Amino acid sequence: MSSAVDSAAASALNSAEWHARIELRGRVAGAGFLVTPSTVLTCAHVVGDGEGLAVTFTERPGTPAVSARVVAHGGWAGGVTDPGDLAVLELDREMPMAPAALAPVDAAHGPTARKLVVYGFPRGFDEGTLTECRVTAPQLIRREWLQLEAWHQGGQPLAPGFSGAAVTLAGTGEVVGMVTADAGRTEVRTGRMMPTQVMARYWPGLRSLVPTSEHATADRARLRALVERAARAGVDCDPVRLYTAAADPFDPPPPEEGFDSLWSAALFVLCELDGPGATRTVARFTDRLQDLLRAPATEPSAPNWSPILVELGHSGAGDGLVRVEVSAYSEGRRHPVDSGTVEQHRLPAYVQEGIETAFRYLTPGADELVAFALPRDWLDWPVDRWESAPDDDTPLGCVYPLVVTDHARRKASTRHVLTRAWKRLDSWPGARMHRVECGGPEEPGRLRLRLRQRDACLAGFGTAPAAARTRAHFDTSLAAPAPVIVWSRGGCGSGQEECAGADGCTGKAFLDALDAHVMAVPPAELPLHVLALREEALAEQGHWAHGIQLLWDDPRVFADPHAVAAAHARSPVA
C-alpha cells in the first residue's frame, strides 16, 4: 500500500501542467491555475479590464498561448484591501491536461505548521519560480484572507507576479487557496491568501471541486494519479457506469446529464459524497479504475466458460470414504470422465488425475473453470488449497478459476430461479454485495427477503459457515437462492453477538476489503477475479483474501444433471 501512496504523491508533485501564466496585451501580469479543462482562476487585479487577455501553460512547453475572457468575478472594487479579488476566465478551447486538485477546507493549517508551495512569475522569472510559505494562523482577516509568511528567510519572497497563483500543499500539490497580495516591502516577508472556501463564496462553481474531509490525502492522491494515467492512455470508459458500479445504495445517483469526463465523475465522488460510506465508495471507484487501466484497450467480453465439475459426496460406506465423479463440459454437452469411491486421504490425488483427464474434453480456446459440487456440510473444505499436480504443489485455486456449489441447489426448481437471476446479472457492471456481519444481527427471515430482491447478487459473510450464529444465515442464503456467496475460512473466529463486526475484527476487515474489490467486478468475471486474489494471497503473507471461498452458481454453465442422468445412473450425486 505504501508504494501505491508514494507513487500517487509523486504523480501529484510532477503534474504541475495546470499552473498558468496570465498575460495582458503581451506582457506578464500574474499567475493563475486551471480548475476545469477550460476554466482558469486568478485575481481580478491581474486581469484589469480584460482586454487582450491570454493564458500560457509554461509547464507544457510548446503549447501556444490561449485567448481568454472574464466570465465571472468577485465584485472587487479596485482597492488593495477591497474584498472579492477573484476573476474566472474562460479559455477559447479546452486544455488536454488534468486540472488542479483542490484540498479539503482548512487543510492549509493544523497542529503543526504545514509547508505550502507557490508557483508564480515575478520580474525576471517569465518561466516561473517557486516560493515556500506557511499560514501564520487559521484566523481569517476580515472574513477574506489568511496571512502567509515565509517558510524560511533565505528564499524567494512573495512579490508582484505571484498574484493569482495557487497555494499548494507541499507533498501532494493540492490547492488550498490563491495569493492575492504581498507585503509590498522586501524586508517584510508576508502576504495574503484567499482560501478556497472564500473563493467558493464568490464563485459557486468552485464548491463542487472542493473534496469533503472524509477522504484521506493518500486516497485523493491515488485517485487523481489514476485519472491522469487514464487520460494519458486514452482509456475509453463510461464514467456513469463506473460510478454506478462503485456507489453504495444510499449514495446519490449520478447527475441526470451524466458526467462529461472521467475527472468529473472522480470529482463527484470526492466532493459530493460524505458520511461513513463515502470512503468505501472512493475505494471501490479507484480500484475499478485501476482494473480498467490493467485491462486490454478493448473491452473484454464475458468469459466463455468450459467447466470441469468435480462432484464429491458421502459414500454411505463409511466416514473415511468419498464418492467422486469428474465431468467436463464442452459446448453445452457433459462428458463423464471418471468416478469411484476413494479413501479421503487419497482424494486430492484422485481429483488431480480426473481434472487433468477432463481437459481433453474442453472446448479449445474456452475459459476453463473448476467447480466442486459438495454436500452442504463440506462447503468450507479448502479444495482450492489442494495441490494442482503430483509434481507441482501450487494450489489448484491459484492455477485455475475455482468455485464451489451446493448439491442441494442442483434441483430443477432452484436452477430455474438461478437462471432467471443470472440473465438479469448479465447486464450488471458490478456485483453489489449484501454484508452478513459477525454475530448475525439481521434476522434470517429478513435476510431471505433481501436476497430475493431483484438487485440481490452477492452475499458476503464475515464468518465461516460453521459458526453457530451465522449457520442459519448461511442456509438462508443458499436457499434464497443467492447467485454468489463469498466468505473467508479465516474470518471472525467468534461470530458472537457482542462482536457484531467491531473495529479490529478479522471478519469486518475481510468484508471491507471484499466490498472494495468485487463490487466493481461483473458477476460473470468473479471466478477470474478471485483467482487473481488467491495468487496475491499466496505471494503476500497476511493478505486479506487468504482462505477466500467463492460459491458461484450459474446453471447455464452446466448442463441439466437430469438430462444426463442415464449416463450417471450409478452416481448418488448426479
Side-chain angles (χ1 to χ4, degrees):
M1 181 62 181
S2 60
S3 61
V5 173
D6 292 343
S7 174
S11 174
L13 283 170
N14 294 328
S15 56
E17 295 179 334
W18 47 264
H19 287 293
R21 185 177 68 200
I22 311 300
E23 300 161 7
L24 195 62
R25 290 185 283 274
R27 65 175 180 82
V28 177
F33 53 102
L34 191 75
V35 292
T36 79
S38 61
T39 306
V40 167
L41 300 184
T42 186
C43 290
H45 80 257
V46 168
V47 300
D49 59 12
E51 293 297 324
L53 197 58
V55 176
T56 299
F57 295 92
T58 58
E59 290 300 301
R60 199 177 179 97
T63 302
V66 185
S67 297
R69 64 189 182 94
V70 179
V71 294
H73 60 80
W76 181 64
V80 175
T81 60
D82 287 336
D85 192 4
L86 172 72
V88 182
L89 311 185
E90 182 180 70
L91 304 180
D92 275 359
R93 65 177 184 273
E94 292 190 352
M95 301 308 299
M97 63 188 72
L102 275 60
V105 173
D106 297 333
H109 43 75
T112 59
R114 294 179 179 173
K115 182 186 289 188
L116 307 175
V117 180
V118 184
Y119 189 126
F121 303 91
R123 185 186 297 274
F125 293 95
D126 287 356
E127 76 284 2
T129 190
L130 299 170
T131 185
E132 297 176 336
C133 54
R134 61 187 163 209
V135 171
T136 303
Q139 173 65 49
L140 277 176
I141 300 172
R142 289 184 56 188
R143 299 183 62 248
E144 186 81 3
W145 309 285
L146 289 173
Q147 181 170 300
L148 297 175
E149 60 182 35
W151 183 259
H152 52 79
Q153 293 302 309
Q156 166 69 47
L158 288 173
F162 279 101
S163 292
V167 182
T168 65
L169 293 170
T172 71
E174 293 176 305
V175 177
V176 295
M178 178 183 71
V179 175
T180 58
D182 61 86
R185 294 180 294 168
T186 56
E187 67 271 19
V188 181
R189 304 173 66 85
T190 62
R192 287 181 175 178
M193 171 184 87
M194 183 184 292
T196 52
Q197 69 266 31
V198 176
M199 297 170 70
R201 186 199 311 158
Y202 294 117
W203 184 53
L206 197 66
R207 294 172 188 165
S208 63
L209 306 179
V210 179
T212 62
S213 58
E214 276 79 6
H215 312 304
T217 300
D219 295 336
R220 299 194 306 272
R222 178 178 174 232
L223 177 54
R224 178 179 175 80
L226 289 174
V227 171
E228 291 178 354
R229 278 182 54 199
R232 289 194 298 269
V235 172
D236 183 18
C237 73
D238 181 353
V240 172
R241 179 179 174 186
L242 189 66
Y243 170 74
T244 303
D248 268 340
F250 298 109
D251 286 338
E256 291 185 6
E257 67 276 14
F259 301 113
D260 58 10
S261 66
L262 181 59
W263 183 238
S264 295
L267 284 173
F268 187 85
V269 170
L270 289 174
C271 305
E272 300 297 328
L273 307 185
D274 54 18
T279 302
R280 292 196 298 269
T281 301
V282 168
R284 286 192 297 268
F285 187 93
T286 306
D287 288 335
R288 180 56 176 159
L289 178 55
Q290 188 166 40
D291 290 341
L292 288 174
L293 288 168
R294 290 171 176 165
T298 55
E299 183 72 17
S301 57
N304 177 26
W305 296 121
S306 187
I308 295 170
L309 179 65
V310 180
E311 297 180 273
L312 306 181
H314 299 282
S315 71
D319 293 339
L321 297 174
V322 179
R323 180 68 187 174
V324 187
E325 185 161 337
V326 182
S327 305
Y329 288 80
S330 177
E331 298 178 349
R333 297 179 59 193
R334 184 180 186 186
H335 302 273
V337 173
D338 200 0
S339 63
T341 300
V342 183
E343 294 175 333
Q344 192 164 332
H345 71 274
R346 294 183 52 243
L347 187 57
Y350 188 93
V351 169
Q352 283 176 2
E353 296 176 7
I355 290 176
E356 185 59 33
T357 303
F359 267 95
R360 302 173 187 171
Y361 299 92
L362 298 188
T363 305
D367 298 293
E368 71 271 13
L369 174 72
V370 176
F372 279 78
L374 305 170
R376 187 163 297 186
D377 56 339
W378 291 359
L379 283 175
D380 205 32
W381 274 17
V383 292
D384 60 292
R385 305 297 299 176
W386 291 359
E387 294 181 359
S388 57
D391 57 349
D392 185 359
D393 62 358
T394 305
L396 266 174
C398 296
V399 177
Y400 311 115
L402 186 149
V403 303
V404 300
T405 187
D406 178 22
H407 275 317
R409 294 182 16 143
R410 293 180 61 75
K411 59 185 180 182
S413 58
T414 304
R415 289 171 62 85
H416 177 82
V417 175
L418 281 171
T419 300
R420 186 175 64 231
W422 275 99
K423 286 181 177 179
R424 185 175 68 252
L425 296 179
D426 282 343
S427 62
W428 284 26
R432 192 179 298 280
M433 182 177 80
H434 181 77
R435 299 167 66 104
V436 183
E437 302 280 3
C438 308
E442 188 176 21
E443 290 296 326
R446 288 186 175 274
L447 176 61
R448 174 180 172 80
L449 289 175
R450 179 66 189 88
L451 295 178
R452 297 282 288 181
Q453 300 300 310
R454 289 185 58 82
D455 64 342
C457 173
L458 188 157
F461 280 76
T463 61
R469 285 195 57 82
T470 55
R471 182 70 213 199
H473 297 78
F474 189 77
D475 289 344
T476 297
S477 300
L478 288 169
V484 183
I485 305 174
V486 184
W487 66 94
S488 170
R489 295 189 297 270
C492 176
S494 69
Q496 298 303 309
E497 186 172 8
E498 60 268 22
C499 176
D503 289 337
C505 169
T506 55
K508 179 182 184 301
F510 173 80
L511 289 179
D512 288 344
L514 180 68
D515 200 19
H517 280 73
V518 304
M519 289 282 285
V521 179
E525 298 177 21
L526 283 170
L528 288 171
H529 192 74
V530 170
L531 167 64
L533 289 174
R534 284 171 173 153
E535 289 179 301
E536 292 177 13
L538 183 65
E540 180 180 336
Q541 188 174 7
H543 193 283
W544 67 270
H546 184 78
I548 191 171
Q549 195 84 322
L550 171 65
L551 189 148
W552 184 92
D553 212 358
D554 183 353
R556 300 169 302 175
V557 174
F558 307 95
D560 186 345
H562 301 288
V564 290
H568 303 274
R570 295 176 55 200
S571 171
V573 296

